[in-house]
Amino acid sequence: MITITDDDFTAFSRYIKTHYGINLKPEKMSLVAGRLHHVIASNKMNSLSEYLNYVQTDRSGQAAVTLLNKITTNHTFFMRESDHFYYFRDSVLPYLARTIASKDMRIWSAACSSGEEPYTLAMLIDEYFGRGKAGWDTKILATDISSHVLDIAKRGIYSNEKIAILPPVWKMSYFKAYDADSSILTDDIRDEVIFRKLNLMDPVFPFRKKFHVVFCKNVMIYFDRATRRELVDKLYELTEHGGYLFIGHSESLDRDKTKYKYVRPGVFRKE
Ligand SMILES: C[S@@+](CC[C@H](N)C(=O)[O-])C[C@H]1O[C@@H](n2cnc3c(N)ncnc32)[C@H](O)[C@@H]1O
């Protein structure tokens, strides 16, 4: 295992914070050492500072991609924090179906990891509208900084263990057997989600239209307070009036600083 000096770790975490917003606290040093050990050794380097220098000078950008894939935490699962999905189904969707005259519903899963969150939304939407979905554009934009998880998400293949939590009727309607241990989402559901790479730290997001609903869950937990506040301000600007922001249950917004109105735990609204 590589040994990391305090100075090396400080420089490294400063780089990560500036570029990706992720706050690597000193207690994460051994985690970082564990995750980067192999990539540093395989590049025949001896220290974190040498590796950081390599990442910063690599013009292809590939070294930074590898680094990000190593340090991000991508844990997710279908129906995670299920009360949010039920609220989305029972309150948000009926409101949107009633009020969006153009039938162009815009939903953004802003740190989608391997796709379970946006695909859960796609299945809920399909079930809600049923045959009435014709005429609606309900495509979901799903973004993440990690190309590794986006590749997994695009394939739409999940172990049967991962989908066990879903209602049997969903498993029958929205999945097909892929092999003995896994299932693949139907083309119809896969086509409902557009995956793109996007860094939430980018100063400007490339969207022409605002969103009716933004899911930005379990990612801000890695950002410090100031970074979180800036991001939430940007999300607010990108939310339609009457639209919603969902954040993780272990996350919080500075309620006196944000313009979003609190609705219920983890759910906020732009009035
Ligand atoms: C723990 S997962 C959350 C997945 C899902 N939203 C959920 O709640 O289950 C956090 C995701 O945030 C992504 N992420 C971390 N920093 C990011 C950044 N600066 N921009 C975009 N995505 C980022 C990671 O790659 C990871 O896939």
Short mmCIF file of all heavy atoms in Angstrom, two decimals, residues 174-196:
data_model
loop_
_atom_site.label_atom_id
_atom_site.label_comp_id
_atom_site.label_asym_id
_atom_site.label_seq_id
_atom_site.Cartn_x
_atom_site.Cartn_y
_atom_site.Cartn_z
N TYR A 174 -41.38 -4.80 -17.01
CA TYR A 174 -40.27 -3.91 -17.41
C TYR A 174 -38.91 -4.58 -17.52
O TYR A 174 -37.93 -3.92 -17.88
CB TYR A 174 -40.17 -2.75 -16.39
CG TYR A 174 -41.43 -1.92 -16.28
CD1 TYR A 174 -41.98 -1.59 -15.05
CD2 TYR A 174 -42.08 -1.47 -17.43
CE1 TYR A 174 -43.13 -0.83 -14.94
CE2 TYR A 174 -43.25 -0.71 -17.34
CZ TYR A 174 -43.76 -0.39 -16.10
OH TYR A 174 -44.90 0.35 -16.02
N PHE A 175 -38.84 -5.88 -17.20
CA PHE A 175 -37.55 -6.58 -17.30
C PHE A 175 -37.72 -7.86 -18.12
O PHE A 175 -38.79 -8.45 -18.15
CB PHE A 175 -37.05 -6.98 -15.90
CG PHE A 175 -36.56 -5.82 -15.08
CD1 PHE A 175 -37.43 -5.09 -14.29
CD2 PHE A 175 -35.20 -5.46 -15.07
CE1 PHE A 175 -36.99 -4.02 -13.51
CE2 PHE A 175 -34.75 -4.39 -14.30
CZ PHE A 175 -35.65 -3.67 -13.52
N LYS A 176 -36.59 -8.25 -18.75
CA LYS A 176 -36.53 -9.56 -19.40
C LYS A 176 -35.32 -10.28 -18.82
O LYS A 176 -34.35 -9.62 -18.41
CB LYS A 176 -36.31 -9.39 -20.91
CG LYS A 176 -37.50 -8.83 -21.64
CD LYS A 176 -37.22 -8.68 -23.13
CE LYS A 176 -36.21 -7.56 -23.36
NZ LYS A 176 -35.96 -7.17 -24.72
N ALA A 177 -35.37 -11.61 -18.83
CA ALA A 177 -34.21 -12.35 -18.32
C ALA A 177 -33.02 -12.05 -19.22
O ALA A 177 -33.15 -11.99 -20.44
CB ALA A 177 -34.51 -13.84 -18.32
N TYR A 178 -31.86 -11.80 -18.61
CA TYR A 178 -30.65 -11.56 -19.41
C TYR A 178 -29.78 -12.82 -19.38
O TYR A 178 -29.34 -13.32 -20.40
CB TYR A 178 -29.89 -10.35 -18.85
CG TYR A 178 -28.65 -10.04 -19.64
CD1 TYR A 178 -28.75 -9.45 -20.90
CD2 TYR A 178 -27.38 -10.34 -19.15
CE1 TYR A 178 -27.62 -9.17 -21.65
CE2 TYR A 178 -26.25 -10.06 -19.89
CZ TYR A 178 -26.37 -9.49 -21.13
OH TYR A 178 -25.25 -9.21 -21.86
N ASP A 179 -29.51 -13.32 -18.18
CA ASP A 179 -28.86 -14.62 -18.02
C ASP A 179 -29.38 -15.22 -16.71
O ASP A 179 -30.38 -14.74 -16.17
CB ASP A 179 -27.32 -14.51 -18.06
CG ASP A 179 -26.78 -13.60 -16.98
OD1 ASP A 179 -27.46 -13.43 -15.94
OD2 ASP A 179 -25.68 -13.04 -17.15
N ALA A 180 -28.72 -16.25 -16.21
CA ALA A 180 -29.27 -16.95 -15.05
C ALA A 180 -29.40 -16.04 -13.83
O ALA A 180 -30.29 -16.22 -13.01
CB ALA A 180 -28.38 -18.15 -14.72
N ASP A 181 -28.52 -15.04 -13.74
CA ASP A 181 -28.50 -14.23 -12.51
C ASP A 181 -28.96 -12.80 -12.70
O ASP A 181 -29.02 -12.04 -11.74
CB ASP A 181 -27.05 -14.16 -11.97
CG ASP A 181 -26.50 -15.55 -11.76
OD1 ASP A 181 -27.24 -16.37 -11.19
OD2 ASP A 181 -25.37 -15.80 -12.19
N SER A 182 -29.21 -12.38 -13.92
CA SER A 182 -29.53 -10.97 -14.09
C SER A 182 -30.64 -10.74 -15.12
O SER A 182 -30.95 -11.63 -15.93
CB SER A 182 -28.28 -10.18 -14.47
OG SER A 182 -27.64 -10.81 -15.52
N SER A 183 -31.17 -9.52 -15.07
CA SER A 183 -32.27 -9.16 -15.95
C SER A 183 -31.94 -7.84 -16.63
O SER A 183 -31.18 -7.03 -16.10
CB SER A 183 -33.56 -8.99 -15.14
OG SER A 183 -33.87 -10.20 -14.47
N ILE A 184 -32.56 -7.63 -17.79
CA ILE A 184 -32.31 -6.38 -18.53
C ILE A 184 -33.63 -5.62 -18.66
O ILE A 184 -34.69 -6.23 -18.87
CB ILE A 184 -31.68 -6.67 -19.91
CG1 ILE A 184 -31.36 -5.36 -20.64
CG2 ILE A 184 -32.56 -7.57 -20.77
CD1 ILE A 184 -30.40 -5.54 -21.82
N LEU A 185 -33.55 -4.31 -18.50
CA LEU A 185 -34.76 -3.50 -18.65
C LEU A 185 -35.24 -3.52 -20.09
O LEU A 185 -34.43 -3.63 -21.03
CB LEU A 185 -34.45 -2.05 -18.25
CG LEU A 185 -34.48 -1.80 -16.74
CD1 LEU A 185 -33.64 -0.58 -16.38
CD2 LEU A 185 -35.92 -1.61 -16.26
N THR A 186 -36.53 -3.42 -20.29
CA THR A 186 -37.07 -3.40 -21.65
C THR A 186 -36.55 -2.16 -22.39
O THR A 186 -36.23 -1.14 -21.76
CB THR A 186 -38.61 -3.35 -21.63
OG1 THR A 186 -38.99 -2.18 -20.90
CG2 THR A 186 -39.20 -4.58 -20.98
N ASP A 187 -36.56 -2.26 -23.71
CA ASP A 187 -36.12 -1.11 -24.51
C ASP A 187 -36.97 0.12 -24.20
O ASP A 187 -36.47 1.24 -24.15
CB ASP A 187 -36.23 -1.41 -26.01
CG ASP A 187 -35.21 -2.45 -26.42
OD1 ASP A 187 -34.30 -2.75 -25.62
OD2 ASP A 187 -35.33 -2.98 -27.55
N ASP A 188 -38.27 -0.11 -23.99
CA ASP A 188 -39.16 1.03 -23.74
C ASP A 188 -38.72 1.83 -22.53
O ASP A 188 -38.73 3.06 -22.56
CB ASP A 188 -40.60 0.55 -23.51
CG ASP A 188 -41.27 0.19 -24.82
OD1 ASP A 188 -40.65 0.43 -25.87
OD2 ASP A 188 -42.39 -0.35 -24.78
N ILE A 189 -38.34 1.14 -21.46
CA ILE A 189 -37.92 1.86 -20.25
C ILE A 189 -36.52 2.44 -20.46
O ILE A 189 -36.24 3.59 -20.10
CB ILE A 189 -37.98 0.94 -19.01
CG1 ILE A 189 -39.44 0.60 -18.68
CG2 ILE A 189 -37.29 1.59 -17.80
CD1 ILE A 189 -40.31 1.79 -18.25
N ARG A 190 -35.64 1.67 -21.08
CA ARG A 190 -34.28 2.21 -21.32
C ARG A 190 -34.34 3.47 -22.17
O ARG A 190 -33.62 4.43 -21.94
CB ARG A 190 -33.40 1.14 -21.98
CG ARG A 190 -33.08 0.00 -21.04
CD ARG A 190 -31.67 -0.52 -21.18
NE ARG A 190 -31.21 -0.67 -22.54
CZ ARG A 190 -31.38 -1.77 -23.28
NH1 ARG A 190 -31.99 -2.82 -22.77
NH2 ARG A 190 -30.92 -1.84 -24.51
N ASP A 191 -35.24 3.46 -23.15
CA ASP A 191 -35.34 4.62 -24.04
C ASP A 191 -35.89 5.85 -23.33
O ASP A 191 -35.83 6.96 -23.86
CB ASP A 191 -36.26 4.30 -25.24
CG ASP A 191 -35.58 3.35 -26.20
OD1 ASP A 191 -34.36 3.12 -26.06
OD2 ASP A 191 -36.28 2.81 -27.09
N GLU A 192 -36.48 5.67 -22.17
CA GLU A 192 -37.06 6.80 -21.44
C GLU A 192 -36.00 7.60 -20.68
O GLU A 192 -36.31 8.63 -20.09
CB GLU A 192 -38.13 6.30 -20.45
CG GLU A 192 -39.46 5.99 -21.09
CD GLU A 192 -40.13 7.23 -21.67
OE1 GLU A 192 -40.41 8.17 -20.93
OE2 GLU A 192 -40.36 7.25 -22.91
N VAL A 193 -34.78 7.07 -20.60
CA VAL A 193 -33.75 7.75 -19.81
C VAL A 193 -32.57 8.11 -20.71
O VAL A 193 -32.05 7.27 -21.44
CB VAL A 193 -33.27 6.87 -18.64
CG1 VAL A 193 -32.28 7.64 -17.78
CG2 VAL A 193 -34.44 6.40 -17.78
N ILE A 194 -32.18 9.37 -20.67
CA ILE A 194 -31.03 9.83 -21.46
C ILE A 194 -29.87 10.05 -20.50
O ILE A 194 -29.97 10.88 -19.58
CB ILE A 194 -31.37 11.16 -22.16
CG1 ILE A 194 -32.54 10.95 -23.10
CG2 ILE A 194 -30.16 11.72 -22.91
CD1 ILE A 194 -33.18 12.26 -23.55
N PHE A 195 -28.79 9.31 -20.65
CA PHE A 195 -27.65 9.43 -19.74
C PHE A 195 -26.58 10.34 -20.34
O PHE A 195 -26.24 10.21 -21.52
CB PHE A 195 -27.04 8.04 -19.47
CG PHE A 195 -27.93 7.17 -18.63
CD1 PHE A 195 -28.71 6.17 -19.21
CD2 PHE A 195 -28.02 7.35 -17.26
CE1 PHE A 195 -29.55 5.37 -18.44
CE2 PHE A 195 -28.85 6.56 -16.48
CZ PHE A 195 -29.61 5.57 -17.07
N ARG A 196 -26.09 11.25 -19.53
CA ARG A 196 -25.03 12.16 -19.97
C ARG A 196 -24.04 12.37 -18.84
O ARG A 196 -24.43 12.34 -17.67
CB ARG A 196 -25.60 13.54 -20.31
CG ARG A 196 -26.48 13.59 -21.51
CD ARG A 196 -25.68 13.70 -22.81
NE ARG A 196 -26.57 13.75 -23.95
CZ ARG A 196 -27.11 12.70 -24.58
NH1 ARG A 196 -26.84 11.48 -24.18
NH2 ARG A 196 -27.92 12.85 -25.61
#
